Amino acid sequence: MTPRGSALFDTAIGRCGIAWGPRGVTAVHLPERDDATLRSRLPDGYPDAAPPPDVTAAITAIRALLDGEPVDLADITLDLDGVPAFQRRVYDIARTIPPGQTVTYGQIAQRMGMPGAARAVGHALGQNPCAIVVPCHRVLAAGGASGGFSAHGGVATKWRMLTIEGAPEAPQPKLF
């Protein structure tokens, strides 16, 4: 049984954070403005620790994906205990989106059998505790609009990640 722990690790887009427990990865966070902010986003009660082998493998896969390799993170075991059932369903569907591909919030809602729930899908993805492993950056609003992105850097980070993955015609954010 692996005890709880957390670690920061470097990637092509900056330092990310990961937390784990006995049943799998509980959180993955994208870069923040500094390490202190990043650490504050990780769950309480997860001390800094050396990652066990399964978490080291997850970190290696995340790094490879952010280096532009077509790596599928679907094999990373997540522990989403305590996450509401609706959100877990959304995350399970999002995890099936291959690198470099996108779907819309509405398409996820349709796949759930809830065609009117696009907004609820977006809200669930905005609370995603395992960014990149649950690839919320691959989910767009209708018509290819960005929708939102709660990571530091917002929509610009979302487009950067899609560009790294080779998504066709990843739009650039419109700045004022």
Side-chain angles (χ1 to χ4, degrees), residues 73-105:
L73 305 178
D75 290 338
I76 296 173
T77 302
L78 298 180
D79 176 2
L80 298 178
D81 193 36
V83 173
F86 177 84
Q87 287 177 227
R88 283 195 313 269
R89 285 181 60 205
V90 170
Y91 302 160
D92 287 345
I93 292 169
R95 290 191 78 188
T96 69
I97 308 165
Q101 301 296 312
T102 59
V103 302
T104 66
Y105 300 110

Side-chain angles (χ1 to χ4, degrees), residues 18 43 45 81 165:
I18 191 167
D81 193 36
E165 290 184 5

Side-chain angles (χ1 to χ4, degrees), residues 86 90-91 93-94 97 102-128 135-150 155 158-159 162:
F86 177 84
V90 170
Y91 302 160
I93 292 169
I97 308 165
T102 59
V103 302
T104 66
Y105 300 110
Q107 288 171 316
I108 290 179
Q110 287 272 354
R111 190 160 164 203
M112 293 175 72
M114 304 174 75
R119 195 172 293 239
V121 166
H123 181 73
L125 290 170
Q127 296 184 20
N128 176 9
C136 52
H137 64 285
R138 297 179 190 151
V139 185
L140 305 175
S146 66
F149 198 60
S150 58
V155 173
K158 183 175 195 169
W159 296 134
L162 287 171

Side-chain angles (χ1 to χ4, degrees), residues 2-113:
T2 303
R4 289 180 175 195
S6 66
L8 302 184
F9 60 98
D10 294 316
T11 71
I13 67 167
R15 189 183 292 275
C16 293
I18 191 167
W20 63 89
R23 296 183 7 195
V25 171
T26 59
V28 178
H29 287 279
L30 297 172
E32 290 288 343
R33 67 181 175 277
D34 56 46
D35 284 357
T37 304
L38 181 56
R39 284 185 208 289
S40 75
R41 302 265 189 240
L42 294 171
D44 291 335
Y46 289 74
D48 287 340
D54 57 331
V55 176
T56 299
I59 290 169
T60 299
I62 292 167
R63 282 181 174 142
L65 181 64
L66 290 171
D67 280 341
E69 295 178 34
V71 176
D72 186 352
L73 305 178
D75 290 338
I76 296 173
T77 302
L78 298 180
D79 176 2
L80 298 178
D81 193 36
V83 173
F86 177 84
Q87 287 177 227
R88 283 195 313 269
R89 285 181 60 205
V90 170
Y91 302 160
D92 287 345
I93 292 169
R95 290 191 78 188
T96 69
I97 308 165
Q101 301 296 312
T102 59
V103 302
T104 66
Y105 300 110
Q107 288 171 316
I108 290 179
Q110 287 272 354
R111 190 160 164 203
M112 293 175 72

